[in-house]
Amino acid sequence: MYLSKFQLLNYKSFRDSGLLEFKPGINIIVGANNSGKTALLEALSLNFQNNIHKSLTTFPLPSDVINSYYGYQLSLTVEKERIKPILNELSNSGRFLIAVPDEYKKFAHLLQSLNDFFNNGNIQDIEIQIRFRKSDPIHFDNIPSFFSSSYNKPEENWLKTDSSPSSREYYGIYDINHGMDIDQGKFEETIQYQIFQKYRKTIYRFDAERLNIRSCPVGTCRELKSNASNLAEVLSISQTNPALFNKFNKYVSTVIPGIKWVSVLPSENNTVEIKIWTLDPVTEREDLAFPLSDCGTGVSQVLAILYVVITSQEPRMIIIDEPQSFLHPGAAKKLIGIFKQFPQHQYFIATHSPALITAANPSTIVKLRHEDGETKALVMKSEDLKEQSALLAELGVSLSDVFGADSILWVEGPTEELCFPMILEKIAKKPLRGIQILAVKNTGDLEGKRAEIIFDIYDKLSGGNSLFPPTIGFIFDREGRLDSDIEKLKNRSKKPVEFLERRMYENYLLHPKAIAAIINDDDKERTQPLSAVEVQEWIDKAKQESSYLLKNVKPNQLSESEWLCQVDGAKLLSDIFSNLSETRVAFRKTTHSPKITEWLIDNEPEQLSELEKPLVSLLE
């Protein structure tokens, strides 16, 4: 049994979450700070207090009357192999009602349908639907099948309705194991409500906080409380099952290798206390074990979470808020790996960690964003995520490269990815504020027959149903492109495309003082510092050579500014570094271009001022 649909209304930042669909396995909730992640987890736990949504939509004027009602509706999917065991369990603990519409007058067809359902192999997964206003359930509007109800009332009607299910009798069938009696009963006796109550007991929610649960009174309870206050008690009882307790300790050590064993020992005042062993138990050095309260943040959480995951005989709904906040990233990934070994549970994890999302390979991701005073939710299913991953791989980037960015500016290569942020923030005085600058995998893909395909990939990734932030534009080297080719490329993209005025970024770095300073810094064997004059002389000689220019371009045909635009700046820098250092320093674009850029920003920022215009125009 798992939560398959959920809708939250008029609670905290949610005016209406929309109908959120979930799957078995791991479901991830992502969003920026204050986007509503914790509010949604509170609602999913089905244990939250009155905190009405307020925004300009619901309260256009200060004098507007407060709507004090909040609510939710959900659907539980019960797998066909679980239906009979659950019904037998409910039947053994009391009676339940399979409600039917009042207009059913002849039961022959109904009884035959139920007989086929239970005895002739026609059992299918069923969906239980239920709706609540505050803490009170709302009666079914109609009952089109034996197990599920449909809700046709719009939000404002059912959320504000004063009708109570306790005042309504339901017509249906009791005791399916003993002749299927026809009778009437209360809402609380319906199969929908009783299965919902059973499901509610399976929910565990773990907040992103340190739990102070070192010890507790001795007891016989095997069920961990929602606040984990009796963790010592349940672990003490688990010790009586050596195989299960060994398994628990094995997984604890997997997540936190520094912990070799967890034990629970009697303490004063009839209590039991959790002790953590950092030495192998074979040493028998119980005196060197220390209390759980002396451990780092996160150990208590790990023990509580693993206890529920490993020891629960029934499938659980496990809710975890920001596991990376109390666990090292590596430990959090190991915890996710253990979850996958217990797929009977359904997990809801709020996180902003791309590493956790990748490790989880989630069934769904709910992406939250806060705008105009309320939270908007978007559900991405596993098939959407696989398509996203394939598109990202095609572009040579990963989720960790883009996750958390508000928008992306695509640039020529890794050098520009490193240097352009410095130019924008320190020269143009434009803070990036969530804009990520990334290198395209291969700019050659943006020309010829593949251009439309590649641009289409970027457009798909920037679409609405995506974890990928929107693209704000592209900026590329001019290389040897004709103006007509540049216009064609610009027309093929739905986003703005800019080109540098010079052939490549390195053409802006041909500054003798900057080059000399970086070579001197890296050439540790040099006896005399390289001077800017020597670098300038080398550049002057290079101006007479055609090997640094495009084909059919003669050096004597170019002015100084034209030569700076057309020379192969990267090749020229490579030769300068090699020759003037006597091959001791090899020019590396991603190392030395950022160093020259930093020197220019600190000493000659006007050298890079020409780059401001195309970069700033894309940001604006």
Side-chain angles (χ1 to χ4, degrees), residues 530-570:
L530 178 66
S531 69
V533 173
E534 293 175 88
V535 176
Q536 184 63 63
E537 288 175 352
W538 213 98
I539 292 176
D540 290 340
K541 290 179 182 178
K543 290 178 182 177
Q544 308 306 316
E545 298 182 22
S546 58
S547 60
Y548 295 107
L549 300 172
L550 296 168
K551 291 182 179 180
N552 303 320
V553 177
K554 303 298 181 183
N556 56 10
Q557 298 175 342
L558 302 174
S559 65
E560 176 73 15
S561 60
E562 289 173 334
W563 181 85
L564 274 176
C565 287
Q566 297 199 32
V567 68
D568 187 334

Side-chain angles (χ1 to χ4, degrees), residues 166-284:
S166 60
S167 63
R168 177 173 173 177
E169 292 284 334
Y170 289 87
Y171 189 53
I173 299 168
Y174 277 110
D175 199 356
I176 60 171
N177 295 321
H178 299 89
M180 297 187 181
D181 298 334
I182 299 168
D183 206 342
Q184 287 182 304
K186 299 293 185 180
F187 180 87
E188 289 75 11
E189 296 176 282
T190 63
I191 189 171
Q192 288 95 330
Y193 185 77
Q194 293 206 26
I195 289 182
F196 167 75
Q197 289 296 90
K198 176 178 174 60
Y199 168 77
R200 194 169 192 169
K201 295 176 182 178
T202 72
I203 300 172
Y204 273 98
R205 177 179 170 228
F206 296 94
D207 293 329
E209 62 184 22
R210 180 173 179 171
L211 301 173
N212 185 18
I213 48 179
R214 165 181 174 175
S215 62
C216 71
V218 174
T220 58
C221 179
R222 296 178 181 271
E223 185 81 2
L224 184 68
K225 294 180 180 179
S226 59
N227 62 0
S229 60
N230 67 330
L231 180 61
E233 176 187 9
V234 298
L235 289 180
S236 177
I237 296 172
S238 295
Q239 288 183 145
T240 62
N241 185 336
L244 181 63
F245 200 66
N246 284 341
K247 181 192 291 187
F248 169 78
N249 269 286
K250 170 191 169 186
Y251 284 120
V252 171
S253 295
T254 298
V255 177
I256 309 176
I259 297 178
K260 306 304 179 184
W261 193 255
V262 177
S263 63
V264 185
L265 303 174
S267 186
E268 57 188 16
N269 300 322
N270 198 33
T271 62
V272 285
E273 181 181 34
I274 299 173
K275 290 294 187 74
I276 303 298
W277 297 59
T278 56
L279 297 176
D280 195 305
V282 298
T283 63
E284 300 183 5

Side-chain angles (χ1 to χ4, degrees), residues 302-346:
V302 169
L303 299 187
I305 292 169
L306 288 179
Y307 176 82
V308 172
V309 170
I310 294 166
T311 66
S312 295
Q313 297 180 351
E314 293 285 328
R316 297 281 190 180
M317 176 183 178
I318 299 173
I319 302 172
I320 306 174
D321 195 356
E322 303 285 5
Q324 76 283 345
S325 68
F326 56 81
L327 278 179
H328 180 275
K333 290 173 68 175
K334 291 175 184 176
L335 186 64
I336 294 292
I338 292 172
F339 292 168
K340 292 181 178 180
Q341 297 178 48
F342 295 86
Q344 69 270 32
H345 305 307
Q346 187 181 25

Side-chain angles (χ1 to χ4, degrees), residues 2 36 176-177 241 330 343 362 419 432 459 483 495 498 516 542 551 563:
Y2 64 92
I176 60 171
N177 295 321
N241 185 336
C419 297
L432 293 177
D459 289 335
D483 290 343
K495 302 293 182 180
E498 294 284 349
K551 291 182 179 180
W563 181 85

Side-chain angles (χ1 to χ4, degrees), residues 80-99:
K80 57 186 178 183
E81 62 272 14
R82 292 280 300 149
I83 295 172
K84 278 190 175 181
I86 287 177
L87 294 182
N88 287 333
E89 180 184 341
L90 294 177
S91 182
N92 292 334
S93 61
R95 70 179 206 158
F96 61 87
L97 175 71
I98 299 178

Side-chain angles (χ1 to χ4, degrees), residues 332-538:
K333 290 173 68 175
K334 291 175 184 176
L335 186 64
I336 294 292
I338 292 172
F339 292 168
K340 292 181 178 180
Q341 297 178 48
F342 295 86
Q344 69 270 32
H345 305 307
Q346 187 181 25
Y347 305 90
F348 290 85
I349 301 173
T351 183
H352 59 260
S353 168
L356 283 192
I357 297 173
T358 302
N361 189 21
S363 303
T364 63
I365 289 183
V366 180
K367 183 179 179 181
L368 303 180
R369 68 184 192 280
H370 195 268
E371 59 180 45
D372 299 329
E374 63 180 276
T375 296
K376 305 290 187 181
L378 170 70
V379 178
M380 295 181 63
K381 298 180 182 178
S382 57
E383 52 267 27
D384 300 323
L385 298 172
K386 289 176 182 177
E387 181 186 9
Q388 292 278 301
S389 297
L391 293 174
L392 288 171
E394 179 76 14
L395 300 179
V397 295
S398 66
L399 181 61
S400 61
D401 293 322
V402 301
F403 186 75
D406 294 327
S407 54
I408 293 179
L409 172 62
W410 292 97
V411 298
E412 179 78 18
T415 302
E416 290 80 1
E417 184 178 312
L418 295 169
C419 297
F420 283 0
M422 292 189 285
I423 294 171
L424 280 165
E425 293 183 328
K426 295 182 179 180
I427 294 180
K429 306 299 181 185
K430 291 287 184 180
L432 293 177
R433 292 176 180 167
I435 298 173
Q436 183 84 343
I437 296 180
L438 291 178
V440 298
K441 182 179 181 181
N442 183 1
T443 53
D445 287 339
L446 298 174
E447 301 182 71
K449 295 180 179 179
R450 280 178 57 81
E452 293 182 10
I453 297 174
I454 298 299
F455 277 130
D456 184 55
I457 289 176
Y458 287 104
D459 289 335
K460 284 182 179 179
L461 284 170
S462 297
N465 191 25
S466 176
L467 273 178
F468 197 89
T471 294
I472 61 173
F474 305 84
I475 183 164
F476 300 131
D477 292 346
R478 181 170 290 269
E479 289 294 348
R481 295 183 177 96
L482 300 173
D483 290 343
S484 57
D485 294 331
I486 287 175
E487 286 305 312
K488 287 179 182 178
L489 268 178
K490 288 183 175 182
N491 291 333
R492 288 184 178 183
S493 172
K494 295 178 182 178
K495 302 293 182 180
V497 181
E498 294 284 349
F499 288 85
L500 301 180
E501 287 298 319
R502 301 186 187 183
R503 181 172 174 178
M504 62 186 67
Y505 176 66
E506 282 72 21
N507 288 33
Y508 296 89
L509 307 181
L510 300 177
H511 189 281
K513 287 184 180 180
I515 295 169
I518 302 308
I519 292 178
N520 286 329
D521 191 48
D522 280 15
D523 190 355
K524 305 303 181 184
E525 298 180 24
R526 178 176 287 277
T527 57
Q528 293 292 327
L530 178 66
S531 69
V533 173
E534 293 175 88
V535 176
Q536 184 63 63
E537 288 175 352
W538 213 98

